[in-house]
């Protein structure tokens, strides 16, 4: 079982729609969760962090965490073509070690 | 906004050669990391470093790899004898602390191509 699992995509949504990205993790003791955005050939860029069950909103982005189901999601409202990228789910372990999922490729078409 | 700086942006080397990748972490950060990403694959943890010693390393970080903080600003990753499979993007990252809420800031990466 992979430690952090994501659908590879591509997830294709029209401009202005809501994009929903999902992630599951295997270690039930995990406490800190992150969503990074990665453009092709670039480094991961932090979008959201979440530590408690429930929703956390930041602008057009909402992260959702359900520790009982070991599930993290990211919603992007009013998707823009500039949101087209690979979205990486990451789970923090000891000494700030991040375990990344393989990423979901999002394509927002005009 | 403070950033993590990495050099070189791209290095091409012959198999068996030594490579040193350099990083300048954010100035008030105390924890440093190297990750790598083979083309088309996920980002993988290599090593974390604090107080001039390795805190944790992955199985990938074998005897061919070493890290060093040679002065007050640089943090380096050395690969002693490169192999074809070392071709990847190497990302340096730093953070202020280790607590769960603290986030890592990544540099732009150094692309290593081993021929």
């Amino acid at each position: 079982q992979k430690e952090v699992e994501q659908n590879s995509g591509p997830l294709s949504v029209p401009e202005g729609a809501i994009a929903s990205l999902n992630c599951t993790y295997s270690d039930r003791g995990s406490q800190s969760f992150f969503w990074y955005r990665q453009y092709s050939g670039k480094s991961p860029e932090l979008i959201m962090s979440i530590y408690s069950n429930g929703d956390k909103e930041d602008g057009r982005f909402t992260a959702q965490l359900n520790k009982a189901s070991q599930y993290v999601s990211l919603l992007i409202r009013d998707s823009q073509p500039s949101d087209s990228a690979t979205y990486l789910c990451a789970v923090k372990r000891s000494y700030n070690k991040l375990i990344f999922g393989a990423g979901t490729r999002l394509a927002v078409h005009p | 906004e403070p950033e993590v700086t990495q050099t070189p942006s791209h290095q091409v080397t012959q198999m068996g050669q030594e490579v040193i990748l350099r990083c300048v972490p954010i100035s008030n950060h105390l924890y440093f990391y190297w990750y790598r990403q083979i083309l088309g694959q996920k980002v993988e943890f290599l090593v974390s470093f604090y107080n001039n010693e390795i805190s944790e390393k992955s199985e990938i970080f074998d005897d061919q790899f070493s890290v060093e903080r040679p002065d007050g600003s640089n943090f380096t990753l050395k690969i002693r004898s490169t192999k074809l499979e070392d071709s990847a993007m190497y990302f340096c990252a730093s953070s202020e602390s280790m607590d769960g809420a603290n986030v890592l800031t990544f540099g732009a990466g150094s692309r290593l191509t081993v021929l």
Side-chain angles (χ1 to χ4, degrees):
Chain A
Q1 183 185 14
K2 293 180 183 176
E3 293 191 71
V4 180
E5 292 207 53
Q6 299 180 252
N7 287 325
S8 60
L11 173 66
S12 182
V13 300
E15 184 174 356
I18 295 175
S20 177
L21 304 159
N22 305 313
C23 170
T24 58
Y25 59 94
S26 61
D27 185 352
R28 188 170 287 279
S30 300
Q31 298 294 321
S32 303
F33 307 88
F34 305 85
W35 283 99
Y36 283 84
R37 177 174 63 196
Q38 187 176 35
Y39 293 109
S40 182
K42 304 296 184 183
S43 62
E45 172 193 8
L46 182 69
I47 299 294
M48 294 280 291
S49 58
I50 187 165
Y51 314 105
S52 304
N53 280 328
D55 295 0
K56 179 182 177 183
E57 187 174 318
D58 184 1
R60 295 188 296 114
F61 299 96
T62 298
Q64 299 173 317
L65 174 60
N66 183 326
K67 290 184 181 179
S69 300
Q70 295 173 245
Y71 174 90
V72 192
S73 67
L74 179 70
L75 300 177
I76 307 174
R77 290 180 297 281
D78 188 23
S79 296
Q80 302 297 308
S82 58
D83 294 327
S84 298
T86 298
Y87 288 80
L88 309 178
C89 174
V91 176
K92 184 174 283 188
R93 294 291 179 78
S94 60
Y95 295 106
N96 266 349
K97 174 181 177 180
L98 288 178
I99 305 297
F100 283 88
T104 299
R105 193 156 57 92
L106 172 67
V108 181
H109 52 89
Chain B
E1 187 172 329
E3 61 181 24
V4 175
T5 304
Q6 290 187 241
T7 55
S9 57
H10 189 194
Q11 180 154 358
V12 180
T13 190
Q14 295 291 324
M15 189 170 56
Q17 295 297 301
E18 177 183 284
V19 163
I20 297 176
L21 305 178
R22 291 181 169 80
C23 169
V24 179
I26 294 173
S27 61
N28 64 331
H29 285 187
L30 301 177
Y31 300 85
F32 315 117
Y33 317 86
W34 285 100
Y35 286 76
R36 80 170 185 189
Q37 186 175 32
I38 295 171
L39 186 64
Q41 298 187 24
K42 64 181 182 179
V43 177
E44 300 174 290
F45 170 80
L46 291 179
V47 66
S48 59
F49 189 87
Y50 168 69
N51 199 27
N52 281 321
E53 60 182 31
I54 291 174
S55 305
E56 187 171 359
K57 60 183 181 180
S58 71
E59 292 175 355
I60 303 167
F61 195 89
D62 61 22
D63 291 344
Q64 292 297 315
F65 291 89
S66 62
V67 289
E68 189 180 32
R69 187 154 164 83
D71 54 44
S73 59
N74 289 285
F75 178 53
T76 62
L77 174 69
K78 181 192 290 186
I79 309 174
R80 264 181 269 284
S81 178
T82 50
K83 303 187 284 284
L84 295 176
E85 54 264 38
D86 294 327
S87 295
M89 181 75 95
Y90 289 81
F91 295 111
C92 176
S94 67
S95 66
E96 281 186 70
S97 71
M98 275 199 321
D99 67 71
N102 199 259
V103 299
L104 275 64
T105 300
F106 285 85
S110 292
R111 180 171 298 284
L112 176 64
T113 302
V114 182
L115 302 176

